[in-house]
Amino acid sequence: MRGEATAVAHANIALAKYWGKRPGPGNYPAVPSLSVTLAGLRTVTTVRFVDEGTGHRLVLDGKEELGPGATKAAALLDRVKAHAGIQGFAHVESRNEFPTAAGLASSASGFAAMAAAACAAAGITPGQPWISDLARRASASAARSLFGGFVELDAGPANAGDGEALLAARPLAPAEHLPLVILVCVTRRGPKDTASTEGMTLTARESPFYVAWVEEAPRLFTRMKDALAAKDLPTLGALAERSALAMHASAMAAGVVYLNGTSLEVLRRVQRLRHEGLSTFATMDAGPHVKVMVSLAEEQPVATALASVPGVLEVRRTVPGPAVTVTMGGAP
Ligand code: DP6
């Protein structure tokens, strides 16, 4: 039965980065990725299907969304309609409960919440793999935000074919598996960076190091899975930092520079803290903010050191978080 449903999903950060797509349709990643879902950084999304209107409507943080996000959302919603065998249009209202001004990516939590809420609102229960695949088609990192704790997403098939093969993320370990603090160093307010979709396309087309990245990424991923299974934070962290640097190096060689001066200062501070004996590691996504991993026992000195890096505007604390949840009805 059709109705209204609300989903809550959390952002995630990749420890083993996804960067690059398989050629062809379906938005399949060229490399496998491993992420941790983050508590606190939530998106709350309500979807309602209606009979009247001329198209889907997407309201994001109170403003009607019309850009590329709306196109991706429409494709997601049409897929749900086709699966459910329903007509009409969706009204989607989405709210990020973390400051978008902080520049933290919201597409992962946003599309994960939209996928889960749209299925429930359309009255279908296709199962988590189908919902994760649905979110992945909009934004591959969103496939991982369906699940809590530590999550993996395989690379897509070598030949994407018609783009219909299912590729879903899978939970690897619950949030409690490896106690960990992630300190998000906000290094800039304001304008958006090159969107990751565009940054990846440019990297694949222009970077002489893209091929090397695609070869190296699966090796880092496999070693990270082993380190995670062994609850070995120093090894996992060191590999995560390598993955981030390899991703950024390949992007930079194509002229895609996400890091700013402060990002590099934070990175240097993290490396210095390691020389001083603390087990702490950095990772960066398609933006200038630096996420620093550390154990609970060593959190205090690391947080203090990061807050004193010139140019760091704020240090936000987060820990591994939960899977998506869905309730019937509107947002509370
Ligand atoms: C650097 O999932 O935003 O955060 O599939 O094109 O929407 P699209 O890309 P997206 O890319 C995320 C890139 C990353 C690394 C990661 O999350 O794995």
Side-chain angles (χ1 to χ4, degrees):
M1 214 188 69
R2 277 164 55 171
E4 185 180 40
T6 299
V8 177
H10 294 77
N12 73 76
I13 49 163
L15 305 179
K17 301 291 182 202
Y18 145 55
W19 194 252
K21 300 169 191 290
R22 294 284 198 215
N27 199 36
Y28 294 105
V31 298
S33 56
L34 190 161
S35 63
V36 56
T37 302
L38 302 175
L41 305 179
R42 317 195 310 167
T43 299
V44 182
T45 302
T46 301
V47 178
R48 182 164 51 98
F49 282 96
V50 296
D51 293 323
E52 69 280 6
T54 51
H56 303 299
R57 269 198 75 204
L58 172 58
V59 177
L60 197 59
D61 288 326
K63 282 212 311 243
E64 180 128 25
E65 172 80 22
L66 302 165
T71 312
K72 287 180 170 187
L76 183 157
L77 296 162
D78 286 342
R79 214 170 165 84
V80 171
K81 273 175 54 182
H83 194 85
I86 58 173
Q87 303 295 320
F89 300 103
H91 283 185
V92 180
E93 211 163 324
S94 193
R95 198 172 73 235
N96 288 315
E97 290 189 347
F98 46 94
T100 33
L104 298 167
S106 56
S107 70
S109 50
F111 285 118
M114 194 186 299
C119 289
I124 54 172
T125 47
Q128 290 301 76
W130 196 87
I131 301 173
S132 172
D133 176 79
L134 174 71
R136 179 192 59 71
R137 290 170 185 277
S139 209
S141 56
R144 302 183 310 235
S145 272
L146 254 293
F147 305 101
F150 298 86
V151 184
E152 68 176 333
L153 175 64
D154 288 337
N159 180 349
D162 64 358
E164 284 305 312
L166 185 138
L167 179 70
R170 285 187 302 267
L172 276 174
E176 323 68 75
H177 173 78
L178 183 62
L180 166 74
V181 177
I182 294 119
L183 300 167
V184 182
C185 300
V186 177
T187 65
R188 195 194 61 203
R189 308 256 183 232
K192 274 194 174 175
D193 300 283
T194 309
S196 30
T197 307
E198 199 188 327
M200 283 181 209
T201 308
L202 272 167
T203 306
R205 206 174 62 211
E206 311 276 344
S207 176
F209 305 140
Y210 179 67
V211 173
W213 157 253
V214 171
E215 260 175 42
E216 175 67 0
R219 287 196 284 268
L220 291 170
F221 167 79
T222 305
R223 290 171 64 195
M224 270 188 241
K225 267 180 83 165
D226 292 345
L228 178 67
K231 304 190 181 195
D232 179 351
L233 181 58
T235 304
L236 182 67
L239 291 165
E241 192 172 297
R242 279 245 218 128
S243 172
L245 290 173
M247 174 206 128
H248 282 275
S250 76
M252 273 189 201
V256 181
V257 182
Y258 288 111
L259 309 181
N260 63 21
T262 306
S263 326
L264 294 177
E265 287 306 324
V266 173
L267 186 62
R268 285 158 65 91
R269 183 64 61 93
V270 167
Q271 290 179 338
R272 185 133 47 88
L273 289 167
R274 279 210 297 279
H275 287 133
E276 291 165 7
L278 293 163
S279 194
T280 183
F281 304 91
T283 182
M284 298 79 66
D285 293 301
H289 313 295
V290 185
K291 291 97 176 184
V292 177
M293 306 163 65
V294 64
S295 67
L296 272 92
E298 295 185 335
E299 176 185 353
Q300 253 339 300
V302 172
T304 308
L306 294 175
S308 74
V309 175
V312 169
L313 302 171
E314 184 189 343
V315 179
R316 288 178 73 88
R317 179 189 197 269
T318 173
V319 294
V324 77
T325 51
V326 186
T327 48
M328 294 311 290

